[in-house]
Amino acid sequence: MDLLQDPFNVVKEEVQQSVNGVSTLYDRWQALNNSGSNTANNDEFKWVCNQLRTGIKTIEWDLQDLEATIGIVEHNRQKFKLEQEEVDARKRFVSETQYIIRKMKEDLNSASSKGKAHNDDRSALMANRTIGHNEKYGKLDDAVRRDNQEFIEMQQRNQQQMLDDQDQDLEAFSATVSTLGSMAKTINKELEEHAVILDHMDTEVDDVSGRLKQVMRRVDKLLDDAGERVQWCLIVSLVLILIGLVVIVFKV
């Protein structure tokens, strides 16, 4: 299978890079969580925790896409031409990555982690009811809002690009339809002209046929009036003329 046409390899590389980044965040999260300090007052811990959860969710979506591509390959073996060994290797990669992500997610949502976070939040709430405390959280909220705003703007740009592509496709389709319409009008005009020519030919054929019938009637009348002797003379003359023509043709 052509790797340039295989979506699995592209997504796999992105997933591997994401896992490496999330693993670094996870190690930092464990170090901060086990340091004994109050995480509620630690902006770095909150940022790491937020980024870690976002990264895990993104990888879970990417793994779902990888599973879908594997299913497509398994149902189209003749098209993709992948060996079973390669398919099994892809399944192992997805399974192993899912285990790593599931372990991180379980640690984040474990009772001990939630209990510590709850205690830290309670201690911080009781000890830090000051303007400085609010400013710290204001900075964190600003950072979160900036991240959210950047994500929204990126999605808007992607949607606008999709709309622009659709507009281009519609313009191309409209041009094709216009060309087909012009061709249809030209063909219809030619058919009408041919119909007029055929009608004219039919009229001429009818006219010639009528004239031929008149000539035949006159010949029949002439033969009837000429009598039997004249008829024999005409027949003999025509036979002689025919013989002469045949002789001339063969000489030529």
Side-chain angles (χ1 to χ4, degrees), residues 91-107:
K91 289 182 177 180
R92 283 195 304 273
F93 173 80
V94 172
S95 178
E96 292 171 356
T97 306
Q98 286 175 334
Y99 173 79
I100 295 172
I101 297 303
R102 185 166 54 251
K103 179 65 169 57
M104 294 180 184
K105 193 173 182 179
E106 289 175 352
D107 290 344

Side-chain angles (χ1 to χ4, degrees), residues 15-144:
V15 169
Q16 190 61 60
Q17 293 176 355
S18 298
V19 170
N20 294 337
V22 167
S23 297
T24 301
L25 290 172
Y26 175 72
D27 292 339
R28 183 57 181 163
W29 174 83
Q30 282 188 316
L32 293 173
N33 194 48
N34 298 328
S35 64
S37 61
N38 190 318
T39 57
N41 292 328
N42 192 326
D43 291 340
E44 181 187 4
F45 178 84
K46 289 184 175 294
W47 182 86
V48 169
C49 187
N50 181 62
Q51 295 296 318
L52 183 58
R53 292 183 185 278
T54 301
I56 288 174
K57 178 58 66 176
T58 301
I59 293 173
E60 287 178 337
W61 290 339
D62 290 338
L63 290 175
Q64 291 177 1
D65 293 339
L66 288 180
E67 286 183 319
T69 61
I70 293 174
I72 293 173
V73 169
E74 287 186 317
H75 288 85
N76 297 273
R77 292 296 185 88
Q78 293 182 350
K79 177 181 178 180
F80 292 96
K81 299 179 181 179
L82 281 181
E83 300 293 337
Q84 184 61 42
E85 182 179 355
E86 174 63 18
V87 175
D88 292 339
R90 295 184 176 192
K91 289 182 177 180
R92 283 195 304 273
F93 173 80
V94 172
S95 178
E96 292 171 356
T97 306
Q98 286 175 334
Y99 173 79
I100 295 172
I101 297 303
R102 185 166 54 251
K103 179 65 169 57
M104 294 180 184
K105 193 173 182 179
E106 289 175 352
D107 290 344
L108 279 172
N109 298 322
S110 65
S112 60
S113 297
K114 289 184 177 180
K116 185 179 187 307
H118 176 73
N119 292 333
D120 290 346
D121 289 339
R122 185 176 180 180
S123 299
L125 182 62
M126 295 177 65
N128 298 311
R129 292 181 179 180
T130 62
I131 297 177
H133 172 77
N134 293 331
E135 289 179 350
K136 289 182 179 180
Y137 275 97
K139 292 180 180 179
L140 178 60
D141 291 339
D142 290 341
V144 173

